[in-house]
């Protein structure tokens, strides 16, 4: 999974009738196969991107924060994949993943640990990916 930042540079060559209204520097996620949906529907990256695009209208106008939230969502999606949990899995499986993720981020590898402020950002970003009904 890749994290990228939008640039309208060269938009005239994209075959569009007008310049896209995406803010410069908007962060977005792309799966390695460049697909945003598959046979099951929208992928987690596409849902995350929809949420990221709303950050400027949700009291988050700073481009640096867009990148921070994109990294948080990327890390969560990757953690789910590593533990064999679907991002849109059952409530019980997602709660178990959250517990594992919290312990990992509090006591795991020093490079991956989170402070209290950063953990709060991670919790807020978690609002984008709904918890299942299981």
């Amino acid at each position: 999974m890749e994290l990228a930042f939008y640039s309208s540079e060269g938009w005239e060559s994209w075959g569009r009738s007008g310049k896209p209204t995406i803010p410069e520097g908007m962060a977005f996620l792309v799966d390695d196969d460049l697909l945003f949906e598959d046979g099951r529907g929208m992928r987690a990256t596409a849902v995350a991107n929809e949420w990221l695009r709303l950050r400027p209208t949700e009291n988050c106008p700073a481009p640096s924060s867009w990148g921070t939230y994109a990294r948080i969502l990327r890390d969560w999606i990757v953690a789910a994949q590593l533990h064999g949990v679907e991002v849109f899995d059952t409530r019980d499986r997602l709660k178990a993943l959250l517990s594992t993720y919290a312990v990992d981020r509090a006591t795991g590898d020093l490079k991956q640990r989170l402070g209290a402020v950063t953990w709060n950002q991670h919790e807020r970003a978690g609002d984008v990916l709904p918890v299942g009904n299981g």
Side-chain angles (χ1 to χ4, degrees), residues 31 33 35-47 77 81 84-89 93:
D31 285 324
D33 60 7
L35 296 176
F36 290 104
E37 60 182 55
D38 55 28
R40 296 182 297 178
M42 285 179 61
R43 290 184 175 180
T45 49
V47 174
I77 294 168
Q81 291 169 343
V85 176
E86 296 291 327
V87 173
F88 302 108
D89 215 317
R93 287 181 52 82

Side-chain angles (χ1 to χ4, degrees), residues 80-112:
Q81 291 169 343
L82 288 173
H83 292 283
V85 176
E86 296 291 327
V87 173
F88 302 108
D89 215 317
T90 65
R91 177 177 287 284
D92 288 341
R93 287 181 52 82
L94 289 168
K95 284 171 60 176
L97 176 62
L98 181 59
S99 294
T100 299
Y101 188 75
V103 169
D104 233 21
R105 293 307 190 134
T107 62
D109 183 349
L110 284 175
K111 294 178 184 174
Q112 299 296 321

